[in-house]
Amino acid sequence: MSLALIVALPFLGAAIPGVAIHAGRNAAAILTGAITALALLLLLSHAPAVLRGELVQTRIDWLPALGLNATFFLDGLGLLFAGMILGIGLLIILYARFYLAKSDPMGQFYSYLLLFQGAMVGIVLSDNILLLLIFWELTSLSSFLLIGYWKHLPEGRQGARMALAVTGGGGLAMIAGMLILGNITGSYDLTVILQNKDLIQASPWYLPALILILLGAFTKSAQFPFHFWLPHAMAAPTPVSAYLHSATMVKAGLFLMARMWPVLAGTPEWFWIVATTGLVTMVMAAKIAFFKDDLKALLAFSTVSHLGLITMLLGFGTKAAATVAVFHIINHATFKAALFMSAGIVDHEAHTRDLSRLGGLRTLMPITFGIVTLASLSMAGIPPLNGFLSKELMLEEAAHTTWLTPWAMGLLATIGAAFSVAYSFRFLAHGFLGPVRDDYPHKPHDPGFGLWAAPAFLALLVVLIGLFPMLTAEWLVDVAAGAVTGEPVAVKIKHWHGLDTPALWMSLAAIGGGLLLLGSYPRLRAIWDAAPRPEAKRIFDGLIEPLATLARSVTEGLHNGNFGRALTLAVLTIAGVALWAFLGGAHAAGTRALLPIDPVVTGIWAVMLVAAAATPFLHRNRVTALLLTGIVGLLIAPLFVLFSAPDLALTQISVEVVTVLLMLLALHFLPKETPAESPVPRRVRDAAVAGIAGLGIGGLAYAIMTRQPAFDPISAFHLAQSKPGAGGTNAVNTIIVDFRGYDTYGEIIVLGIAALVIFALSETLLRNPEVTRLLATRPRDRESGDRHPMMLVVATRLLLPMAMLVGVYIYLRGHNMPGGGFVAGLVFAIAYLMQYMASGYEWSHARQRYDHHALIGWGVLVASLAGVGAWFFGLPFLTSGYEYVSLWPLEKFELATAAIFDLGVFLCVLGAVLLTLASLSRLALRTGERANTHAYDTEGGR
Amino acid sequence: MEALVAIAIGVLTAVGLYLMLRLRTFPVILGLTFLSYAVNLFIFVSGRLAENAAPIIGSSETYADPLPQALALTAIVISFGMTAVIMIMAIGGHLSSGHDRIDLGDDA
Amino acid sequence: MNHWIIAPVVLPAIVAALMVTLLRGHLALQRMASLAAILALNAVALALIWSAATNGPEAYFLGDWPAPFGITLMLDRLSALMVALLALLALISALYAIGSGWDAKGAHFHPLLMFLLMGIGGAFLTGDAFNLFVFFEVLLIASYGLMIHGGGSARTRAGIQYIAFNLVASSLFLFALALLYGVTGTLNMADLALKLPALPEGDTALLRVAAVMLILVFAIKGALVPLQFWLPGTYANAPGVVAAMFAVMTKIGAYAAIRFGTLVFPPDLPATGTVLVDLLRPAALVTLAVGAIGVLGAATLPRLAAFAGIASTGTVFVAISAFTPATVSAALYYTLHSTLATAALFLVADLVARRRAHVRLVDPAPIAQSGLIAALYMAAAIALAGMPPLSGFIGKLLILDAFRDQAPLVWTAILVSSFLMILGFARAGSQLFWKPAETDIAPDAPGPEPLAFAATFALLAALVALTVFAGPVTEALTTTAAGLFDAQAYIAANGLGATP
């Protein structure tokens, strides 16, 4: 449990500083420190066991199905890293308290810091690679926040984005790599995976997995060619840089390589990829660092260089080299963190980090000078400091490694070392030695104890480890290296290896060469400045920016709201896919006996087709187009009749009438002409697209009509049960109100919703002053100026009651004869529409006594309750019963509960049409129309 | 007979889609109406064609398949509601933007 | 006879009817009724989940007519799960709509919301192919009303396209259904599943056409490329809260595809075979890519959210398209996750849009209450980009793991798209929340809106819960997916085939 707690503590505590900051900056700092300290204590409580060589484990099942579990384990390596993360974390918290300005939101800073800390500890303690991946990406995210902490700085924002892109991207590659490892070994638990070296290295998936995982490690540890994000992350406040780039974030990659070392290392692939990358990174970065004027930039590249050094050592694949790597990880953390903090101090005091503007600080900032001297000499590898010990061992390993030639590795390592001597001394010389200047941006002097305490402590470690390595570090190196190599390690760290060791001469050469380089700095600098060199940021932006611009143009270009293109693509896709599917199956021609050609039908058919075919040519005059549409619609009705679908015919006619009338009214608000916009080629293309679809649908229709269904249609049951089961002779109606009454239930609700939507939109339009102004001022249309024909007015007055009677009749007979609530509702509605057409908006509007919303609502309620009623008989929704009733003078008819449902249909339909009508009228009333105000306002009326 | 009906369905579909490919809302709506004619006929004929066989029990000895007729009824009603809605929206679009183009252009 | 199965349809319908009759014009009362109904719906949904888990698939024979002659509702683990997801999202959306005052910006918001719930619930629960169409129309027409809620030129005109495109989809749906009935003579999905294996050789071509036409309808709902063009304009112009509610609508396409692909046209059906896989796999992969590129390229936050939604359905369909229990259960987990995550991002986008001078990502403008909103944005972005620690990461791991055998293609697609989305979200985020504005013309901040923020938090909390309880959730989903591939139980529940 407690291992999980060590990881959880920083996360749980992350909220605290945000709250504590209200109690002051000290409170926030102390609480943050307390959380970290507590985690550190918990960790140390396990140290004895680990040092005894035991494996501390915690397992909490999370997602067993996937093999993702909250399992943690602590071994030497984990102990070393967790110790560094939490220990240096404490120092950073102290340092940051005094570094950050009053204006900086410190609570936020500590929260981010704790999140990051938790993620780092999670990485190094995870026993499950999926869990490790989670923490891995969490470090990317939290470091994004830390690096972008000074959000007002553009470099900060860009640096943060770059770091996230590179390290997060690498993390994604690593996901794939880890999953492959899991597939090979059949488990995502590290402790299992680490047992399966042979299995993994024998697998054909070894190389892909290796490359993908190394992508993650290299990006995180800023290895060439992914090194460029790290210097740009320096826009972060110095405490962040000191933390991320000395002990934590960038060490995560090294940790991973060390963690996976037992199963991935030892192959030629590993050697060539890892050792080469490390070597190149070490030399290249050391060289760049030498020429950097910004203290933090210099340290950044030196960090990259040292990371390369450690990567190279891990790449050698030998136990000895791995041990040295572990040792150097410790040393680098100590002196690099101290140097970053010192650089921050200089920046803080002198208000500049530019070496060209510094110098002579030795006398002004003696304490800082002392710290920097120790740390930078250690970085240069000067005995007896700890940096010397590990570098000596590194050179020894390099000297004994054959890379291309037996001596190339040793030579390049020495060159790298020489540059690192050079930039270390330059840091010291150009920053602190030399004469005191009088042009510092701000008069520098040593800061308060709070700011230099942390680096001083680290400098002390540098010395102690340097003087008494066997006492201070050896035991830790042993357990950690033991964990890496999988075998007990007992390293002997000495200052003097004797004259016959190549390392001695290599370090001497390095120091000499370094001093030489520093001596000839001005000349070299001139060459350097003259030489063209690729600027990493420019390359990165050169990749990302065009990508983003491309994405922008593709996205917004494709999805620019061009309806025609979208529809064309859709139609062609559907047609193409349908054809592809059709050709993939077997098709037998239909065997059904066909109907003889009927002259009447053919006549109607011909007229309908002519009207339809004419529409595309005449559609620009919208009234004409609407009339043609109406003709086609009306002509479909007789077809229905002749093909034995009277109900369809009735519905088709009534719906068609209402539709056309509504569209006519709507046309009142729209232009009467459609401008000729599309050029001929486009029309031809559209015609072709439409034609393809038409062919397809026509073909399908023919294929259906000419064959028998594969199985007996379920409608046989409906015909058989219509009378006995549903109590109606009209099978279509019994299906509508009974067998499939639920469809109808949905259908009328669709109508009701339609009306509500129409009402809501008209409301919104009327609330829009812009629209109402437009309405009031739009030119009066000729049509609307007409007077109402007297005949029509009178006719409609008479029509209304008759229509209603017809409606009632249609409603009542519906169950047995063609008709029903729906058609009845429409008939009623048409009667009203006629009034409206004849006598104008205002008159009809004034006479719509009852609220149409209520009609719709009651319709839905009645229909629903008719359905729910069945529950009380223990029957499902919409179960109907019926009884025969004879009601003079009507023919004997049967009253089914379905009739109640049908009543709901009737109400809903009527309400829907009337509400639509009313909404249109309300709009129309706002138009400049002054005619048609009086009911009998007919020709010659006045 | 079947061939004629099939042709009619095809033509109605094609006319509908052609009108929908115009650049203004009104022809698009007319196109949708044509398309729904085609759809309703198509549903109807999925019950096959039959003459003098209205599915009124007792009215004849063979009955046309009533189910597709019922489905077509539902479809007709629904498309009626949809047409009404898109109609008022066309009005709204025209009134609030001053034109009745179907493409969104800038305000995509 | 378990009447609760019909409740998710009847309850909202009746409440909506009451709203337009008795409660018309009383916003406060409508809000209460709305919340009460949705809370009840949540309770019903939980009851249904429990019932489906204990009793297995259960049919509800409307009008007491036996299948396949009447219409049957079908309750199984999947439909219950989807109803629960719907109910949860509805609760949060309603709270947000009330908290942000969106529901006062036009008439009939709550009745339309009720009808939307009715339509979606009906679509999830129906066992009848044609009835599925009817309820698609119910939910669509309600969505039209909600989409243009509040009006405005751009919104209304985007709405016209939305309707027009969906009407084409509806026509396609009807063509497909008529074709299906013309060939098989039945509409009940279980009946189809029962009969199709015996389909005569000569009819397979037509059946395959019907099958792909149906799947294309669902692909349009799910906005699969190249049928996605309607989505960005619609979602980006819809009111933020409505767009959030719509996050579940693309998943209806996914649901229907799963249902038909496992029950009616399963991979082992000789007539259709792998046609669904061959059709959906490439489309889904391209959709994922288009969505991810859109996240990087979108010009406004609402559009970015829309493309994130496209990417998420793309991911879901990638997982579906294999039609194996493992991938389908991964798809279900990702459906739950991405629905909530997309909704969250839309709500955040709305919070921003109402506090910022303009919606464009370039040329920064100040945002009121930006600190809190930035945090919400980051959480939603992390979830949608599939970064840890939120459920998106687990969802992607599940999918990657389920596709070990097609690793190179599917893994690359999913991981690369995640990368593009990380870039896009980071860019947009630093543009919106970090880059200092030259101008300081902030629109008058609409006040604290505690309820709106609480609703957004609730979504993210749900994501956290989905992460923490990933174990039990995936366990349940595995059973659900397994049940989908056991068509016999579903058919038997309809009283068809060999009686159990």
Side-chain angles (χ1 to χ4, degrees):
Chain A
M1 185 62 226
S2 68
L3 279 188
L5 193 60
I6 298 173
V7 179
L9 264 173
F11 289 111
L12 300 176
I16 294 174
V19 183
I21 193 67
H22 300 298
R25 295 148 65 86
N26 288 329
I30 290 168
L31 281 171
T32 314
I35 296 157
T36 312
L38 185 55
L40 186 56
L41 286 177
L42 277 172
L43 180 75
L44 294 179
S45 71
H46 294 291
V50 175
L51 293 176
R52 281 196 305 276
E54 297 168 17
L55 196 64
V56 186
Q57 274 181 300
T58 307
R59 178 182 192 87
I60 305 163
D61 277 1
W62 180 8
L63 188 37
L66 178 62
L68 164 59
N69 294 309
T71 57
F72 299 94
F73 80 116
L74 181 65
D75 64 355
L77 189 64
L79 181 66
L80 165 64
F81 272 89
M84 280 198 315
I85 294 158
L86 294 168
I88 296 188
L90 271 176
L91 300 176
I92 295 291
I93 291 163
L94 167 68
Y95 178 79
R97 160 64 188 85
F98 297 95
Y99 180 87
L100 288 180
K102 293 250 176 305
S103 55
D104 298 324
M106 190 178 275
Q108 234 180 61
F109 179 86
Y110 281 132
S111 298
Y112 296 165
L113 194 76
L114 282 173
L115 285 178
F116 177 78
Q117 196 180 61
M120 280 307 302
V121 176
I123 290 182
V124 298
L125 294 189
S126 295
D127 182 12
N128 180 293
I129 50 176
L130 298 182
L131 187 68
L132 188 150
L133 285 170
I134 291 182
F135 290 118
W136 186 271
E137 293 292 47
L138 275 180
T139 57
S140 306
L141 287 170
S142 45
S143 62
F144 174 75
L145 292 173
L146 282 170
I147 297 170
Y149 176 71
W150 278 332
K151 33 173 108 64
H152 52 277
L153 301 177
E155 314 82 62
R157 296 195 300 272
Q158 288 168 2
R161 287 226 307 270
M162 193 190 284
L164 179 65
V166 176
T167 61
L172 289 171
M174 207 170 92
I175 293 176
M178 292 298 197
L179 286 173
I180 295 177
L181 273 193
N183 285 353
I184 298 174
T185 57
S187 164
Y188 291 123
D189 285 348
L190 263 171
T191 36
V192 177
I193 291 172
L194 293 180
Q195 306 305 321
N196 286 297
K197 174 176 183 175
D198 304 337
L199 185 61
I200 291 169
Q201 300 198 348
S203 157
W205 286 94
Y206 166 72
L207 190 57
L210 177 67
I211 292 172
L212 289 165
I213 292 174
L214 286 178
L215 268 176
F218 287 173
T219 48
K220 206 62 145 192
S221 284
Q223 292 303 291
F224 179 85
F226 306 109
H227 60 285
F228 55 88
W229 69 265
L230 194 149
H232 289 281
M234 289 300 145
T238 303
V240 176
S241 320
Y243 197 34
L244 267 58
H245 308 318
S246 65
T248 54
M249 173 115 159
V250 294
K251 290 273 170 66
L254 301 179
F255 168 82
L256 192 81
M257 285 186 273
R259 183 46 94 204
M260 292 293 166
W261 196 89
V263 286
L264 294 183
T267 64
E269 296 93 333
W270 169 275
F271 173 78
W272 284 110
I273 300 175
V274 180
T276 310
T277 312
L279 180 65
V280 172
T281 311
M282 172 175 76
V283 178
M284 172 217 60
K287 189 190 73 211
I288 299 175
F290 178 55
F291 294 105
K292 285 294 172 188
D293 285 331
D294 177 355
L295 288 178
K296 279 178 76 176
L298 186 154
L299 292 175
F301 277 101
S302 98
T303 305
V304 174
S305 170
H306 281 267
L307 294 168
L309 185 161
I310 299 166
T311 307
M312 178 184 78
L313 284 168
L314 289 168
F316 288 171
T318 65
K319 297 193 169 27
T323 313
V324 179
V326 171
F327 186 33
H328 195 67
I329 287 173
I330 303 173
N331 299 336
H332 177 255
T334 52
F335 64 70
K336 189 53 61 70
L339 284 172
F340 266 117
M341 294 192 206
S342 312
I345 292 174
V346 172
D347 192 12
H348 199 265
E349 299 302 321
H351 293 196
T352 178
R353 305 191 308 242
D354 189 342
L355 280 174
S356 61
R357 305 184 57 187
L358 290 167
L361 296 177
R362 173 170 45 87
T363 50
L364 299 169
M365 312 174 71
I367 302 171
T368 319
F369 174 62
I371 297 168
V372 169
T373 313
L374 290 169
S376 52
L377 289 179
S378 172
M379 176 161 74
I382 304 301
L385 300 167
N386 62 352
F388 162 76
L389 297 168
S390 45
K391 196 179 70 181
E392 186 96 326
L393 292 165
M394 178 275 283
L395 292 170
E396 187 69 27
E397 293 303 323
H400 297 114
T401 308
T402 300
W403 183 79
L404 299 178
T405 69
W407 46 267
M409 177 63 77
L411 176 64
L412 289 165
T414 317
I415 294 174
F419 270 105
S420 110
V421 170
Y423 64 67
S424 306
F425 282 145
R426 175 158 181 259
F427 187 98
L428 198 55
H430 293 189
F432 288 80
L433 306 181
V436 174
R437 307 168 56 145
D438 48 15
D439 61 346
Y440 303 113
H442 179 274
K443 188 90 182 71
H445 50 70
D446 268 322
F449 172 76
L451 210 48
W452 62 259
F457 175 77
L458 289 165
L460 184 65
L461 285 182
V462 166
V463 177
L464 288 177
I465 300 176
L467 294 177
F468 317 105
M470 296 307 282
L471 185 67
T472 52
E474 189 266 347
W475 49 276
L476 189 52
V477 175
D478 283 352
V479 285
V484 175
T485 58
E487 295 173 13
V489 173
V491 63
K492 291 271 161 287
I493 312 173
K494 304 180 292 189
H495 294 84
W496 181 253
H497 300 271
L499 287 171
D500 54 356
T501 52
L504 174 64
W505 307 107
M506 289 161 82
S507 355
L508 287 179
I511 294 167
L515 292 171
L516 212 64
L517 283 166
L518 186 58
S520 50
Y521 174 76
R523 257 176 290 109
L524 293 171
R525 178 59 185 257
I527 300 165
W528 172 262
D529 291 340
R533 52 183 181 280
E535 217 290 74
K537 183 179 185 313
R538 222 175 292 113
I539 298 170
F540 179 79
D541 293 347
L543 290 172
I544 295 297
E545 287 312 317
L547 185 64
T549 327
L550 183 68
R552 167 66 51 88
S553 51
V554 167
T555 303
E556 299 300 346
L558 273 180
H559 305 84
N560 62 351
N562 180 332
F563 182 70
R565 185 174 60 201
L567 184 57
T568 309
L569 255 171
V571 171
L572 292 179
T573 309
I574 295 162
V577 170
L579 182 63
W580 162 74
F582 183 86
L583 297 178
H587 179 67
T591 57
R592 195 167 181 280
L594 302 187
L595 286 181
I597 300 290
D598 173 326
V600 186
V601 178
T602 317
I604 301 171
W605 173 83
V607 181
M608 185 178 87
L609 239 56
V610 172
T615 322
F617 298 96
L618 306 177
H619 79 89
R620 267 195 242 91
N621 178 329
R622 293 182 171 181
V623 180
T624 319
L626 181 54
L627 290 180
L628 286 170
T629 315
I631 292 170
V632 174
L634 287 174
L635 285 177
I636 291 177
L639 284 184
F640 282 145
V641 175
L642 291 162
F643 289 126
S644 348
D647 277 278
L648 270 180
L650 257 180
T651 318
Q652 177 70 24
I653 291 175
S654 38
V655 168
E656 201 52 39
V657 171
V658 179
T659 313
V660 172
L661 289 181
L662 282 178
M663 281 195 170
L664 267 175
L665 299 176
L667 209 44
H668 179 80
F669 303 90
L670 294 170
K672 304 288 168 293
E673 293 284 324
T674 303
E677 282 168 319
S678 41
V680 175
R682 152 117 200 210
R683 290 182 219 169
V684 174
R685 193 195 73 198
D686 295 348
V689 172
I692 292 170
L695 272 177
I697 294 300
L700 287 174
Y702 186 75
I704 287 297
M705 285 185 280
T706 53
R707 65 179 52 240
Q708 294 292 357
F711 314 101
D712 307 339
I714 56 177
S715 49
F717 176 91
H718 301 130
L719 286 166
Q721 285 296 317
S722 182
K723 192 96 180 80
T729 55
N730 179 355
V732 175
N733 184 275
T734 49
I735 292 177
I736 287 174
V737 299
D738 199 335
F739 294 109
R740 296 186 70 91
Y742 187 60
D743 277 346
T744 314
Y745 183 64
E747 156 199 330
I748 61 165
I749 284 178
V750 167
L751 267 193
I753 301 171
L756 294 185
V757 172
I758 290 168
F759 173 81
L761 179 58
S762 62
E763 282 288 302
T764 324
L765 287 172
L766 290 172
R767 276 215 247 109
N768 178 345
E770 190 52 28
V771 170
T772 43
R773 195 186 48 73
L774 200 82
L775 275 171
T777 57
R778 57 198 301 275
R780 305 233 268 54
D781 307 314
R782 197 170 28 73
E783 301 91 311
S784 63
D786 294 348
R787 294 288 181 271
H788 302 303
M790 183 58 160
M791 285 312 297
L792 180 56
V793 175
V794 177
T796 50
R797 294 288 178 290
L798 301 174
L799 191 79
L800 186 58
M802 286 165 58
M804 292 188 163
L805 200 64
V806 174
V808 173
Y809 176 65
I810 289 179
Y811 164 73
L812 288 178
R813 75 196 280 264
H815 216 42
N816 296 318
M817 292 283 116
F822 178 79
V823 179
L826 280 185
V827 170
F828 264 62
I830 291 169
Y832 272 96
L833 266 173
M834 298 307 290
Q835 299 294 315
Y836 166 88
M837 297 299 281
S839 303
Y841 306 107
E842 221 164 273
W843 186 84
S844 340
H845 194 56
R847 273 151 195 73
Q848 279 147 1
R849 285 174 204 76
Y850 32 77
D851 172 21
H852 312 311
H853 287 87
L855 274 183
I856 298 171
W858 284 116
V860 175
L861 279 177
V862 169
S864 305
L865 296 177
V868 172
W871 289 353
F872 302 105
F873 303 90
L875 291 165
F877 190 66
L878 284 175
T879 312
S880 80
Y882 59 90
E883 196 48 60
Y884 283 95
V885 185
S886 48
L887 179 63
W888 189 86
L890 298 167
E891 65 203 62
K892 174 161 168 290
F893 64 93
E894 131 279 342
L895 194 59
T897 54
I900 305 175
F901 177 73
D902 218 12
L903 178 65
V905 175
F906 168 82
L907 291 174
C908 201
V909 172
L910 182 60
V913 179
L914 291 184
L915 182 56
T916 309
L917 186 56
S919 311
L920 275 171
S921 336
R922 289 163 50 78
L923 281 181
L925 284 172
R926 294 300 190 86
T927 54
E929 174 177 352
R930 288 288 163 270
N932 309 352
T933 46
H934 183 265
Y936 291 87
D937 182 4
T938 57
E939 281 135 321
R942 23 175 118 143
Chain B
M1 206 70 259
E2 278 79 1
L4 295 186
V5 177
I7 292 170
I9 294 175
V11 170
L12 290 173
T13 312
V15 171
L17 284 175
Y18 178 83
L19 290 175
M20 285 195 75
L21 287 168
R22 300 304 94 206
L23 298 165
R24 302 291 174 145
T25 52
F26 192 77
V28 168
I29 296 172
L30 287 188
L32 282 168
T33 318
F34 271 96
L35 196 56
S36 66
Y37 293 155
V39 170
N40 299 332
L41 273 173
F42 192 93
I43 300 173
F44 170 64
V45 304
S46 73
R48 315 300 189 269
L49 297 184
E51 283 174 322
N52 317 318
I56 312 286
I57 308 303
S59 68
S60 72
E61 61 289 344
T62 66
Y63 302 113
D65 187 338
L67 186 52
Q69 297 191 18
L71 302 185
L73 266 176
T74 309
I76 292 175
V77 177
I78 288 176
S79 66
F80 164 61
M82 296 292 171
T83 313
V85 170
I86 194 171
M87 198 74 234
I88 186 86
M89 284 186 60
I91 295 174
H94 178 245
L95 289 181
S96 51
S97 70
H99 63 83
D100 65 345
R101 292 197 191 79
I102 186 81
D103 290 353
L104 294 184
D106 311 338
D107 50 16
Chain C
M1 185 54 62
N2 176 356
H3 292 301
W4 291 113
I5 298 177
I6 189 82
V9 176
V10 177
L11 174 73
I14 291 179
V15 174
L18 291 173
M19 283 180 180
V20 293
T21 47
L22 309 181
L23 306 185
R24 180 151 173 256
H26 303 75
L27 186 57
L29 293 176
Q30 289 197 356
R31 286 175 167 176
M32 279 183 250
S34 191
L35 287 179
I38 293 173
L39 284 171
L41 190 60
N42 276 278
V44 171
L46 293 180
L48 290 180
I49 285 185
W50 175 81
S51 160
T54 46
N55 312 338
E58 185 179 359
Y60 185 79
F61 301 101
L62 289 153
D64 206 21
W65 297 108
F69 310 113
I71 296 174
T72 44
L73 297 191
M74 275 304 299
L75 172 71
D76 68 351
R77 285 165 167 274
L78 179 58
S79 46
L81 176 75
M82 297 308 282
V83 171
L85 176 65
L86 170 68
L88 174 64
L89 188 60
L91 181 60
I92 290 165
S93 305
L95 287 173
Y96 186 94
I98 294 168
S100 61
W102 259 116
D103 60 349
K105 291 203 170 85
H108 293 326
F109 180 90
H110 289 287
L112 289 174
L113 178 62
M114 287 295 117
F115 281 126
L116 184 73
L117 297 182
M118 171 203 176
I120 302 178
F124 286 146
L125 284 165
T126 189
D128 181 281
F130 188 84
N131 188 247
L132 181 65
F133 160 80
V134 172
F135 276 84
F136 265 36
E137 297 307 300
V138 173
L139 73 91
L140 279 173
I141 197 157
S143 76
Y144 303 154
L146 289 169
M147 191 259 155
I148 56 166
H149 180 75
S153 165
R155 182 173 296 155
T156 315
R157 296 186 50 231
I160 298 174
Q161 281 204 7
Y162 174 50
I163 301 188
F165 207 81
N166 271 292
L167 287 182
V168 176
S170 304
S171 312
L172 181 64
F173 202 165
L174 286 171
F175 281 130
L177 289 170
L179 191 53
L180 201 57
Y181 179 79
V183 173
T184 65
T186 184
L187 293 167
N188 176 295
M189 281 147 64
D191 198 33
L192 284 164
L194 186 65
K195 286 176 175 167
L196 283 181
L199 190 79
E201 179 69 15
D203 287 335
T204 50
L206 288 176
L207 180 78
R208 290 163 64 90
V209 175
V212 293
M213 281 165 100
L214 272 180
I215 291 300
L216 284 172
V217 173
F218 307 145
I220 293 178
K221 303 291 172 229
L224 285 195
V225 177
L227 306 169
Q228 87 290 10
F229 292 96
W230 62 271
L231 191 140
T234 305
Y235 281 37
N237 286 300
V241 61
V242 173
M245 193 67 219
F246 282 8
V248 75
M249 301 226 310
T250 49
K251 305 303 187 298
I252 297 168
Y255 163 83
I258 293 178
R259 183 65 82 196
F260 275 80
T262 54
L263 176 67
V264 183
F265 310 115
D268 57 2
L269 180 67
T272 49
T274 62
V275 68
L276 267 53
V277 181
D278 305 340
L279 175 58
L280 286 179
R281 170 72 48 78
L285 287 169
V286 180
T287 308
L288 175 55
V290 168
I293 295 171
V295 169
L296 180 58
T300 71
L301 186 53
R303 283 177 72 78
L304 186 151
F307 282 102
I310 291 183
S312 75
T313 24
T315 316
V316 169
F317 268 93
V318 168
I320 293 174
S321 65
F323 290 108
T324 69
T327 57
V328 167
S329 88
L332 291 178
Y333 184 91
Y334 203 81
T335 304
L336 296 178
H337 152 77
S338 63
T339 306
L340 300 173
T342 315
L345 186 58
F346 273 116
L347 292 188
V348 173
D350 184 64
L351 288 174
V352 172
R354 291 183 295 113
R355 286 166 177 75
R356 198 160 173 267
H358 59 81
V359 290
R360 292 187 309 283
L361 287 173
V362 288
D363 52 87
I367 304 170
Q369 297 138 333
S370 71
L372 189 52
I373 301 177
L376 291 169
Y377 169 83
M378 181 153 182
I382 286 173
L384 278 168
M387 294 279 277
L390 289 176
S391 40
F393 185 74
I394 293 181
K396 285 197 168 156
L397 279 185
L398 285 167
I399 295 175
L400 295 175
D401 189 64
F403 276 95
R404 317 168 157 227
D405 49 339
Q406 294 128 352
L409 180 59
V410 176
W411 287 16
T412 315
I414 287 182
L415 292 173
V416 171
S417 62
S418 295
F419 180 64
L420 292 176
M421 286 164 84
I422 293 172
L423 291 182
F425 279 117
R427 287 176 73 86
S430 67
Q431 283 277 5
L432 279 172
F433 301 106
W434 282 1
K435 199 165 186 185
E438 292 82 13
T439 65
D440 51 2
I441 29 157
D444 44 358
E449 299 187 348
L451 201 52
F453 279 87
T456 319
F457 269 118
L459 275 175
L460 299 169
L463 290 179
V464 172
L466 203 54
T467 316
V468 174
F469 302 110
V473 170
T474 43
E475 210 169 297
L477 294 180
T478 315
T479 335
T480 310
L484 289 171
F485 287 85
D486 171 21
Q488 287 320 312
Y490 191 99
I491 296 171
N494 279 263
L496 297 166
T499 47

